[in-house]
Amino acid sequence: MDSSSNQIVKEIPGVIRVYKDGRFQKLAGTDVLPAGIDPSSGVQSKDVIISPETNLSARLYLPKTPTKKLPLLIYIHGGGFIIDTAASPHYHDFLNLIAAESNVVIVSVDYRTAPEYPVPACFNDSWEAIKWVVGNCPEPWLNDYADRENLFFSGDSAGANIAHHMAIRVGLENPSLSINLRGIILLHPYFWGNDRIGSEGEDPRKTLLDDMWIFAHPGTSGLDDPLINPAKDPNLSDLGCSRVLVCVAEKDIGKNRGWYYKDNLDKNGWNGDIEVIEDKGEDHVFFLFNPSANNASTLRNRICTFINHMDC
């Protein structure tokens, strides 16, 4: 092989490296765990194919010995639209805990990622998964144990961004779909924009977020694309649920965007309740990598309370 083919032409640190000949190397998010029974909680999981044509799949989670139909959570993983899958160890472990502690059935969407499948593939895949879940799919775990009338969306980082846009699609298309979306839970959402807000201008990580979006969506109109900047979305007030929980972290560069999201919903005429909670001393998606920390346990309890309307 010509040594020039090994020349790196683009690198997003910790995310992906692209070579001159078009090859790329994902620098994180490639490890996987198989589905099965979680020995500590008894939660069962299994992988299902949603669309063979696009290789769209999901990992389902079922709490131990359900005796009634349970709330249904559609979860969308993060990774900057580039890395990670529904089988990534930190997502598998996190959702086992959520299923057990919140007593919910979970559908974790395994959408296609960039650069093989640039944005908006991940948005399209997530919407197809939602339609499969609420439709007449033959999956017994959903038909026997999930209450489709008690539906929630959630995600972290890029996945929280996608969950937000899925809720807007529910609002825009719901008359023909009859989706009863109770609420959305956005964990450290990856929203961004051309104009810096709060402390973003002084944070060296701003270039990473700029580059990641442009790389994941080469056809974008820029950093004020409505897909990354909700403040520029004319459909923001169509958010198709009545309750929103946003969790942010004090040391996360994206913290300001979570608070700004609330401000924009409030002033754009959305009629619902939104709460933003900030975890002090924590950074981006800390709950995935340190699940035993007090703040991680508190965040999971927050999710449980939001879904079940009671103390957990």
Side-chain angles (χ1 to χ4, degrees), residues 57-92:
S57 66
R59 179 163 291 189
L60 310 187
Y61 294 82
L62 183 68
K64 185 178 181 180
T65 60
T67 58
K68 61 179 182 178
K69 289 208 170 186
L70 304 175
L72 176 58
L73 175 66
I74 297 178
Y75 193 86
I76 305 172
H77 71 79
F81 311 103
I82 300 169
I83 60 172
D84 284 319
T85 70
S88 295
H90 42 277
Y91 286 110
H92 183 70

Side-chain angles (χ1 to χ4, degrees), residues 16-294:
I16 195 166
R17 182 179 293 143
V18 181
Y19 297 95
K20 187 176 181 179
D21 63 359
R23 291 177 303 116
F24 60 86
Q25 177 187 6
K26 296 194 176 185
L27 304 176
T30 57
D31 293 338
V32 298
L33 281 179
I37 298 179
D38 178 48
S40 62
S41 65
V43 170
Q44 301 178 68
S45 59
K46 66 178 178 180
D47 296 326
V48 297
I49 298 295
I50 295 173
S51 172
E53 292 78 17
T54 60
N55 202 31
L56 173 61
S57 66
R59 179 163 291 189
L60 310 187
Y61 294 82
L62 183 68
K64 185 178 181 180
T65 60
T67 58
K68 61 179 182 178
K69 289 208 170 186
L70 304 175
L72 176 58
L73 175 66
I74 297 178
Y75 193 86
I76 305 172
H77 71 79
F81 311 103
I82 300 169
I83 60 172
D84 284 319
T85 70
S88 295
H90 42 277
Y91 286 110
H92 183 70
D93 293 343
F94 176 66
L95 293 179
N96 272 318
L97 288 169
I98 295 296
E101 296 171 2
S102 295
N103 203 29
V104 293
V105 177
I106 300 175
V107 177
S108 178
V109 181
D110 198 18
Y111 58 83
R112 293 171 294 172
T113 54
E116 310 99 302
Y117 303 99
V119 172
C122 53
F123 292 88
N124 296 335
D125 286 353
S126 297
W127 186 242
E128 286 304 309
I130 289 166
K131 290 193 295 182
W132 177 82
V133 167
V134 302
N136 296 316
C137 72
E139 173 48 51
W141 282 13
L142 298 181
N143 293 329
D144 295 343
Y145 301 114
D147 180 3
R148 289 183 173 90
E149 296 299 304
N150 199 8
L151 176 65
F152 298 83
F153 297 166
S154 183
D156 65 284
S157 195
N161 176 311
I162 298 171
H164 153 77
H165 283 284
M166 296 304 99
I168 288 180
R169 286 195 73 164
V170 168
L172 291 172
E173 302 188 29
N174 204 22
S176 62
L177 294 174
S178 299
I179 297 176
N180 193 0
L181 180 63
R182 299 287 191 182
I184 59 174
I185 305 163
L186 308 183
L187 307 176
H188 304 184
Y190 177 19
F191 296 139
W192 204 230
N194 193 60
D195 297 329
R196 307 309 185 191
I197 61 175
S199 58
E200 291 172 356
E202 292 76 44
D203 196 313
R205 294 174 291 181
K206 62 182 180 294
T207 301
L208 172 65
L209 296 189
D210 291 350
D211 290 349
M212 199 152 51
W213 173 247
I214 300 300
F215 180 84
H217 189 14
T220 185
S221 60
L223 300 179
D224 281 337
D225 188 321
L227 286 178
I228 196 69
N229 188 351
K232 302 298 183 181
D233 190 346
N235 297 317
L236 183 61
S237 63
D238 291 306
L239 196 72
C241 61
S242 60
R243 299 169 60 225
V244 175
L245 173 64
V246 181
C247 296
V248 299
E250 180 185 19
K251 296 181 179 180
D252 185 3
I253 185 175
K255 169 187 71 173
N256 300 295
R257 297 286 165 173
W259 289 104
Y260 191 46
Y261 178 73
K262 179 182 186 303
D263 293 342
N264 278 284
L265 278 178
D266 288 342
K267 73 181 184 183
N268 275 277
W270 174 71
N271 292 317
D273 296 320
I274 179 170
E275 182 178 16
V276 181
I277 302 177
E278 182 174 327
D279 286 301
K280 303 300 182 183
E282 301 291 359
D283 211 331
H284 193 60
V285 298
F286 71 92
F287 51 87
L288 293 177
F289 302 105
N290 192 10
S292 61
N294 288 337

